[in-house]
Amino acid sequence: MLKQLQVDFYQDVLNPKNAKNYLANGRFTAVDLMHVYHNNYFSNLTSALEKTYSCVLRLVGKKFFNMLAKDFIKKNPFKNRQYD
Amino acid sequence: MVGKINNYGIGLRHQHLQQVIDEKPNINWFEVHSENFFYDNLASYQLEQIAQNYPISLHGIGLSLGSGDVLDKNHLHKLKTAVDRFSPDLISDHLSWSSINGHYLNDLLPVPYTQESLNNFVNKVKQVQDFLGRKILIENPSSYICFKDSNISEWDFFAALPSLSGCGLLLDVNNVYVSCFNHGYKAQDYLNCIDAKDVKEIHLAGYTEKKLEQGTILIDDHSKRVSDEVWDLYQKIIQKIGNTPTLIEWDTDIPDLSILLDEAKKAQAVLDA
């Protein structure tokens, strides 16, 4: 049960628009709340990519780099426990 | 090891490693993210030098103790190697999970507060402590959601860990404030459950307010100075539990070292009061 919940949660962090019905009712919608985790995930990994590819960032600018990073992260899910 | 962790410290990140070696700032101790020092590289070499002059705390973000997966033995071996190398005074990780079925989310995700989840978490903490041969500290989470299945309060779940696993507690005051604000809990209810003798370390950090259609939510992003509300809560906690090693954390938009040291001195003023 714990594992299935976490599998569902993982999928919803990646695709918060499809958030499943495992959250208690509160002030905010499930979609809004899962977007917090979705944004954290992409923001953390984009920051790591910015540090690794700092020359590319300077060449293309932050807006375009962020778009590239999001596409890259979607196609290459994180497989490492190292933080930064 | 150069001594015991006490009074105030700061979270040490890569951009300040060389400056700390060169300037030897007046600070009692440093805490680093364990996983950033698992490899034999320049950063690890720099931390070895720093550890000769300051007590160190290894603060993990990757054990994923709340996951339904089995514990990652490879990760645990790397942690043990880092412990042997840097001789930390404290070792800690989080009441959270970050990986499932080999997928990693690079975040500290909330666990459901159920008996199954508590048994799983306690079992993992015991495995880590058995492997390392020493006690670890567990940090309370900041959260934005509550699971339908949860039937234990966050503070009861957190406060039960020392008696069930033998661990100590790392009380993050900012996380208490953020979780209480987001879920409408009373911070006092949270703190009343915590046994002072279990708290071996305190964290302080800044949060960001995010406006959503239905109201404001606090995001624990460690991107700012500690808020006035969190300083007030910290004062009350220190009055209750006494002098406890306190760390300033800053992980996003990291400022000059001088600003971190300035925040840490504010913590010392509370400890000295």
Side-chain angles (χ1 to χ4, degrees):
Chain A
M1 198 164 167
L2 174 65
K3 191 158 184 169
Q4 185 56 52
L5 179 68
Q6 290 173 336
V7 168
D8 289 344
F9 194 97
Y10 169 76
Q11 289 166 349
D12 291 345
V13 170
L14 299 184
N15 300 295
K17 287 180 182 169
N18 303 321
K20 295 171 193 66
N21 189 27
Y22 48 71
L23 298 184
N25 290 329
R27 285 191 298 151
F28 305 104
T29 67
V31 172
D32 279 347
L33 292 171
M34 293 310 295
H35 259 110
V36 173
Y37 292 100
H38 174 86
N39 292 341
N40 282 352
Y41 175 66
F42 281 95
S43 166
N44 288 341
L45 292 182
T46 299
S47 295
L49 288 170
E50 284 176 356
K51 286 176 194 167
T52 308
Y53 300 105
S54 55
C55 287
V56 177
L57 173 61
R58 286 200 296 275
L59 280 171
V60 303
K62 191 164 179 64
K63 191 173 176 183
F64 189 70
F65 186 91
N66 284 355
M67 195 177 72
L68 286 177
K70 189 154 192 173
D71 192 53
F72 178 81
I73 294 163
K74 278 182 180 171
K75 289 175 180 166
N76 300 275
F78 193 50
K79 293 178 181 171
N80 193 332
R81 290 174 190 268
Q82 197 169 1
Y83 193 58
D84 60 22
Chain B
M1 192 163 67
V2 294
K4 290 282 182 189
I5 282 174
N6 62 65
N7 293 320
Y8 62 96
I10 61 171
L12 183 57
R13 303 296 175 251
H14 279 69
Q15 51 265 64
H16 296 142
L17 288 168
Q18 191 57 47
Q19 189 179 358
V20 166
I21 293 169
D22 293 340
E23 298 177 6
K24 294 188 177 59
N26 181 22
I27 188 95
N28 292 291
W29 55 288
F30 291 107
E31 185 166 278
V32 296
H33 286 151
S34 320
E35 287 77 5
N36 292 337
F37 299 90
F38 277 3
Y39 302 97
D40 198 15
N41 53 21
L42 175 62
S44 293
Y45 173 68
Q46 289 170 314
L47 184 61
E48 267 185 338
Q49 294 178 70
I50 293 166
Q52 290 171 14
N53 295 308
Y54 299 91
I56 297 294
S57 166
L58 286 184
H59 186 50
I61 37 79
L63 277 172
S64 194
L65 297 167
S67 171
D69 282 349
V70 295
L71 205 56
D72 183 340
K73 293 287 166 48
N74 185 38
H75 190 89
L76 200 49
H77 277 279
K78 287 178 182 167
L79 176 60
K80 178 76 165 63
T81 301
V83 168
D84 292 343
R85 182 172 189 176
F86 303 112
S87 301
D89 190 25
L90 296 174
I91 303 167
S92 53
D93 209 293
H94 295 82
L95 172 49
S96 66
W97 64 283
S98 56
S99 61
I100 192 74
N101 286 348
H103 298 296
Y104 301 96
L105 278 167
N106 196 28
D107 199 354
L108 302 167
L109 303 170
V111 300
Y113 300 125
T114 63
Q115 193 60 49
E116 179 198 11
S117 179
L118 182 59
N119 293 345
N120 173 68
F121 198 87
V122 166
N123 183 32
K124 298 281 177 52
V125 172
K126 284 179 175 174
Q127 287 180 52
V128 172
Q129 292 182 146
D130 287 348
F131 187 81
L132 297 178
R134 57 187 286 186
K135 177 191 284 226
I136 65 170
L137 310 184
I138 297 298
E139 178 180 340
N140 56 302
S142 56
S143 65
Y144 316 113
I145 60 146
C146 293
F147 291 104
K148 268 184 184 169
D149 290 343
S150 290
N151 51 19
I152 305 172
S153 69
E154 181 177 305
W155 48 90
D156 282 329
F157 193 105
F158 181 57
L161 297 176
S163 62
L164 296 175
S165 71
C167 73
L169 298 182
L170 193 174
L171 185 62
D172 188 311
V173 182
N174 188 57
N175 289 357
V176 171
Y177 185 78
V178 165
S179 288
C180 287
F181 181 93
N182 288 341
H183 302 307
Y185 306 148
K186 290 180 182 166
Q188 202 57 49
D189 289 342
Y190 206 116
L191 300 175
N192 285 344
C193 273
I194 307 294
D195 191 332
K197 72 172 171 37
D198 294 329
V199 181
K200 306 300 181 191
E201 182 184 342
I202 287 177
H203 275 182
L204 297 169
Y207 59 77
T208 293
E209 289 187 17
K210 186 177 173 67
K211 304 284 184 196
L212 298 177
E213 199 176 310
Q214 302 91 342
T216 299
I217 190 169
L218 303 187
I219 308 294
D220 175 40
D221 59 0
H222 298 183
S223 67
K224 292 182 172 59
R225 287 183 183 269
V226 179
S227 71
D228 290 344
E229 293 82 1
V230 171
W231 280 119
D232 288 345
L233 192 54
Y234 173 62
Q235 275 187 320
K236 288 176 186 157
I237 291 168
I238 293 300
Q239 283 166 7
K240 180 184 172 187
I241 71 174
N243 191 316
T244 305
T246 300
L247 182 94
I248 300 295
E249 281 189 303
W250 204 314
D251 292 298
T252 307
D253 301 329
I254 297 172
D256 287 345
L257 186 61
S258 59
I259 292 176
L260 292 173
L261 296 170
D262 184 50
E263 285 286 275
K265 281 175 188 161
K266 289 188 202 168
Q268 187 60 43
V270 175
L271 292 173
D272 289 341

